[in-house]
Amino acid sequence: MKTFMFCVILLIPKVGSTIDDLNDMKYIEETESFFRERCEPQCIYTANLYNNRSAIPGLFTSEMVDIFPRQCTKVCCETIIKAESNVSEEQLARTFQNVKHLVGSLHVSFTEYESLKFLESLETLECGDREFLWEDNKMNDMGLTNLTTVICADFRIFNNFRMNKLNLPNLINIVPRDANGSRIKVSILSSMLTTDVTIQEAMTFLSNPDVDFEISQVDFINTKTDTCNVGNGIPEGCKHVFGDLKIGQDNEHLVSRLKSVEVLFGGLLISRTSLTTIDFFDNLKYILLHTSSMEEAIRVEYNVNLTNFLFPSLKRIYPTSTVYSKFIAHHVVFSNNNKIISTDPIYCDQFEHVLNVSNVKESFDKKSCG
């Protein structure tokens, strides 16, 4: 007798949600809670968090324009504008014309818009633990001319291949999302067209101790009368100096001119002088090595009489880029000067204390500090 085996297949409907669904639900819950703490109920816009046909929570589409709370000057809304949004600049301009304070992420990416004028009324942006992202757009500049304050985890401008200037003239406050030691990462990166950044815009990022500043393909533009190029000599009466500052036997008698310098957009080389002390950088606060031909931000070498140095105001050293800096052996090098500097450990400790910066590596006659 043959035995037949029957296999019964039970089709059980799937119960629950996928991981992506659960993540989206958590994202929506956290977003709504964040909004309730910051906006009036009638000014909270969450329609684009649900039933989104593109499966991108927060995507702003033309279907949602009519129910946006246009009467509010402060709006809580996830604003993600992409090619899939299918919304015109004119529609966006009407939608955001009264918005001065925007709470929530702001992403503008892969669009064909000519400008961000539809956000020209915007004064403050608060992202919380999320980000501002402006990526792969075809605009010439950002054009957020009234934006004064950004409170986000990240502020990223990335690969906008027609962007030739930043155009954030009134941005003065870059604030971390909380006061518990958090930082804000600012990235202005491009592999194509060079972006012009004014001194005023640069100082907003450089002077903020809570900002990690990462740049590539950026030109800093002289917009102030107290800005000088190094050229062939030591500048006088300048706060902002462009170029590698090189001090040697032929110009060491002019170092007193440097007491007014606050920012050096280049490297500092002091070589083969008769100087006994470096005490002429009273006001130097920031060194940005971005356009320098030097690997180190500071190199002091072959000054046999040099027995002391002082950088009393120096706060930050920015290498060529955050990525490149990982491959630099030392950002500050003292080499072949008077032996007292390399043999007494107090100088190494003193230099670290004077710099008062993190992630900066120093070397005294090939001996690393720290």
Side-chain angles (χ1 to χ4, degrees), residues 24 121 215 248 341 364:
D24 286 348
S121 298
I215 54 175
I341 291 180
F364 287 81

Side-chain angles (χ1 to χ4, degrees), residues 17-74:
S17 304
T18 66
I19 292 176
D20 285 342
D21 290 337
L22 293 174
N23 286 337
D24 286 348
M25 290 169 59
K26 181 180 179 182
Y27 164 79
I28 291 170
E29 290 173 359
E30 291 176 348
T31 299
E32 290 182 332
S33 175
F34 182 69
F35 287 172
R36 285 193 296 269
E37 295 174 356
R38 288 163 175 80
C39 287
E40 296 296 326
Q42 68 273 18
C43 297
I44 296 176
Y45 180 81
T46 57
N48 58 344
L49 297 179
Y50 300 95
N51 300 320
N52 200 301
R53 66 183 181 186
S54 67
I56 303 175
L59 186 72
F60 205 93
T61 64
S62 57
E63 291 86 352
M64 300 171 183
V65 167
D66 291 337
I67 55 175
F68 188 87
R70 298 183 186 182
Q71 75 282 3
C72 298
T73 58
K74 182 178 182 180

Side-chain angles (χ1 to χ4, degrees), residues 53-327:
R53 66 183 181 186
S54 67
I56 303 175
L59 186 72
F60 205 93
T61 64
S62 57
E63 291 86 352
M64 300 171 183
V65 167
D66 291 337
I67 55 175
F68 188 87
R70 298 183 186 182
Q71 75 282 3
C72 298
T73 58
K74 182 178 182 180
V75 174
C76 284
C77 171
E78 288 289 272
T79 309
I80 299 176
I81 302 171
K82 301 169 71 76
E84 301 96 313
S85 292
N86 190 30
V87 57
S88 69
E89 289 182 64
E90 292 75 17
Q91 287 176 304
L92 290 170
R94 291 194 300 270
T95 301
F96 289 97
Q97 62 183 343
N98 294 320
V99 178
K100 294 184 177 182
H101 312 286
L102 184 62
V103 178
S105 301
L106 175 58
H107 294 188
V108 182
S109 53
F110 304 100
T111 71
E112 300 285 335
Y113 304 141
E114 294 182 0
S115 72
L116 280 179
K117 285 188 176 181
F118 55 84
L119 289 171
E120 64 181 352
S121 298
L122 189 64
E123 297 176 5
T124 66
L125 172 65
E126 183 178 358
C127 311
D129 60 357
R130 293 162 191 169
E131 66 177 2
F132 170 92
L133 174 64
W134 198 49
E135 177 185 15
D136 280 299
N137 296 292
K138 295 184 178 180
M139 307 173 203
N140 292 327
D141 62 72
M142 297 187 68
L144 297 175
T145 54
N146 289 301
L147 184 66
T148 64
T149 302
V150 171
I151 307 171
C152 295
D154 291 303
F155 187 85
R156 294 197 294 148
I157 302 167
F158 182 69
N159 269 358
N160 296 281
F161 58 90
R162 290 184 184 173
M163 181 176 170
N164 54 29
K165 62 179 178 179
L166 193 58
N167 200 11
L168 294 172
N170 291 303
L171 181 61
I172 55 175
N173 299 310
I174 302 286
V175 184
R177 60 188 183 275
D178 60 57
N180 298 321
S182 65
R183 304 182 63 76
I184 177 169
K185 184 175 182 179
V186 175
S187 304
I188 305 175
L189 305 174
S190 176
S191 58
M192 301 177 188
L193 191 65
T194 298
T195 301
D196 291 346
V197 177
T198 67
I199 294 295
Q200 179 179 330
E201 290 168 336
M203 291 309 300
T204 297
F205 306 125
L206 294 176
S207 62
N208 191 321
D210 298 318
V211 167
D212 293 323
F213 191 34
E214 182 180 15
I215 54 175
S216 71
Q217 292 292 95
V218 166
D219 275 345
F220 294 100
I221 305 302
N222 303 0
T223 55
K224 294 179 177 290
T225 56
D226 54 5
T227 299
C228 304
N229 290 309
V230 171
N232 296 319
I234 292 181
E236 185 173 11
C238 299
K239 288 186 177 181
H240 310 99
V241 173
F242 282 80
D244 293 333
L245 187 55
K246 299 179 180 180
I247 301 171
Q249 292 177 345
D250 58 336
N251 60 6
E252 62 180 281
H253 62 289
L254 301 174
V255 293
S256 61
R257 294 181 177 182
L258 299 171
K259 289 183 178 291
S260 60
V261 176
E262 295 183 5
V263 185
L264 175 59
F265 292 89
L268 171 62
L269 173 65
I270 303 176
S271 179
R272 302 182 187 278
T273 71
S274 59
L275 296 171
T276 59
T277 184
I278 300 173
D279 60 356
F280 40 85
F281 285 112
D282 296 4
N283 294 296
L284 181 61
K285 298 176 182 177
Y286 310 103
I287 298 177
L288 185 72
L289 201 59
H290 175 59
T291 57
S292 174
S293 60
M294 296 173 55
E295 286 191 0
E296 305 90 2
I298 299 175
R299 172 171 279 275
V300 181
E301 61 183 9
Y302 300 107
N303 304 283
V304 295
N305 297 320
L306 187 67
T307 59
N308 198 15
F309 53 84
L310 191 63
F311 294 88
S313 302
L314 192 57
K315 297 179 179 180
R316 300 286 293 273
I317 288 178
Y318 293 89
T320 304
S321 73
T322 302
V323 176
Y324 182 62
S325 69
K326 296 177 182 178
F327 301 98

